[in-house]
Amino acid sequence: LHAPTPQVRSIAEYFSNCRDEFKLYALENGVGTKKTLTTYVNCLSKMAGVTKPSDLTTYKMITGKPLTKNQKMALSKLFRYMRFVDGMENFNGYPLEKWQLYLDEVKIVRAKSQSRQRNISTEALREAVSRIHHKEHKQFLQRIVKLLYYSGARFNQLMRLLEQKEKDIVIDGDIA
């Protein structure tokens, strides 16, 4: 007699059975925000073609799309859940360490940004600043534009900095 062959399940099938417990585990163990958790849940729910560790490195051939950074992060969190909450050492006959090893080998290729970021010249900056004609806040707005240009900060980062209470900003000589 042969021992029964263990049932092979995809990551998505496994995840569908532990979704709620995983969500609690992830929230308690530093997944970040609820939005991140929702992203992870969606990623893991779509891992239907993954049944063995090598599927992680050939994911693009299986699905037609490369593995994303969020999928990689979600899988890593799931493997920790499998080990520490479900007490698993293997999944589909492969050690969890092997799953993690293959996952670590996956290189995430960043998509080319559709950003409209441009490197502008100092002359273009001067021209932009000279076009600010607001009566009450002209000097302030000109300084903001220059600060954005020279610091490389994003506008929302600069606004958060400006909204901080003055006592939170440490000034050392001319440097804040």
Side-chain angles (χ1 to χ4, degrees), residues 41-96:
V41 167
N42 290 337
C43 288
L44 293 169
S45 298
K46 296 174 185 174
M47 302 297 292
V50 178
T51 60
K52 58 188 181 293
S54 61
D55 290 344
L56 298 173
T57 55
T58 59
Y59 188 78
K60 186 174 182 176
M61 290 177 9
I62 296 168
T63 66
K65 297 178 182 177
L67 203 64
T68 67
K69 179 180 177 184
N70 286 332
Q71 286 172 315
K72 189 173 177 178
M73 299 292 287
L75 283 165
S76 190
K77 184 69 78 177
L78 181 66
F79 295 153
R80 284 193 297 278
Y81 169 86
M82 291 170 148
R83 178 175 292 121
F84 299 117
V85 176
D86 262 1
M88 297 171 67
E89 292 181 16
N90 297 296
F91 180 68
N92 286 347
Y94 299 95
L96 289 175

Side-chain angles (χ1 to χ4, degrees), residues 153-165:
R154 293 186 175 120
F155 182 76
N156 64 344
Q157 294 169 327
L158 184 57
M159 292 310 297
R160 273 184 283 166
L161 177 66
L162 291 171
E163 291 168 356
Q164 284 183 347
K165 296 177 185 168

